């Protein structure tokens, strides 16, 4: 506290109160700045959680699509009376779900499976058209 000695006692007390209020305001501003940092951290973590939720939803969608494609492939192979049915799905068994390349590998594997199913369906269409 800075007090000027030339002031009267009443003015001196007013000055001390004013300095105390300034100090309290400085503390409140400091506290507010700390909260802003904490809120920014929470926003960052909230954003990261949303990214992970979208990633997990995409992985779940791709797995569901793979399951449907496998069912289609199995039915198509039965219609072709083919016995060489082997799904070459290795991403889930060889990679960790949290690894960086997992999502792109799962995407590529699903695309390849979809191409295989469409090829088999086209073959059935060709074979039934010429019968």
């Amino acid at each position: 506290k800075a007090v000027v000695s030339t002031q009267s006692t009443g003015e001196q007390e007013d000055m001390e109160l004013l300095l105390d209020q300034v100090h309290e305001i400085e503390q409140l501003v400091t506290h507010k700045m700390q909260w802003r940092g904490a809120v920014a951290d929470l926003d960052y973590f909230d954003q990261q959680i949303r990214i992970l939720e979208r990633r997990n939803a995409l992985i779940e969608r791709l797995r569901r699509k793979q399951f449907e494609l496998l069912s289609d492939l199995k039915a198509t192979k039965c219609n072709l009376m083919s016995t060489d049915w082997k799904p070459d799905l290795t991403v889930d068994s060889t990679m960790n779900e949290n690894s960086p390349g997992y999502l792109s590998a799962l995407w590529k594997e699903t695309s390849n499976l979809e191409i295989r199913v469409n090829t088999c369906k086209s073959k059935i269409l060709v074979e039934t058209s010429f019968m």
Side-chain angles (χ1 to χ4, degrees), residues 37 46 85 88 96:
D46 188 43
W85 182 77
D88 299 325
N96 183 2

Side-chain angles (χ1 to χ4, degrees), residues 11-109:
E11 290 176 352
Q12 187 177 5
E13 289 174 0
D14 288 342
M15 185 62 133
E16 286 180 5
L17 286 174
L18 183 62
L19 288 174
D20 285 342
Q21 289 173 350
V22 168
H23 183 66
E24 287 177 21
I25 290 172
E26 287 174 347
Q27 286 179 339
L28 287 173
V29 167
T30 303
H31 187 66
K32 184 177 180 181
M33 295 303 287
Q34 290 171 345
W35 272 103
R36 280 188 181 165
V39 168
D41 289 344
L42 288 176
D43 287 342
Y44 171 78
F45 288 122
D46 188 43
Q47 182 182 25
Q48 294 300 314
I49 288 172
R50 277 187 260 127
I51 289 170
L52 287 173
E53 286 173 345
R54 279 184 266 159
R55 182 181 187 273
N56 288 340
L58 183 57
I59 288 172
E60 186 61 34
R61 217 174 320 133
L62 286 171
R63 285 182 177 161
R64 203 173 318 118
K65 185 174 182 176
Q66 273 192 355
F67 179 77
E68 291 168 5
L69 289 170
L70 281 173
S71 299
D72 282 352
L73 183 63
K74 186 175 181 181
T76 305
K77 289 285 187 168
C78 284
N79 287 340
L80 285 172
M81 293 182 227
S82 176
T83 58
D84 62 337
W85 182 77
K86 295 178 188 172
D88 299 325
L89 305 178
T90 59
V91 172
D92 274 334
S93 61
T94 59
M95 293 183 75
N96 183 2
E97 184 176 322
N98 297 323
S99 67
Y102 178 81
L103 188 58
S104 61
L106 186 63
W107 188 280
K108 183 174 172 126
E109 187 177 74

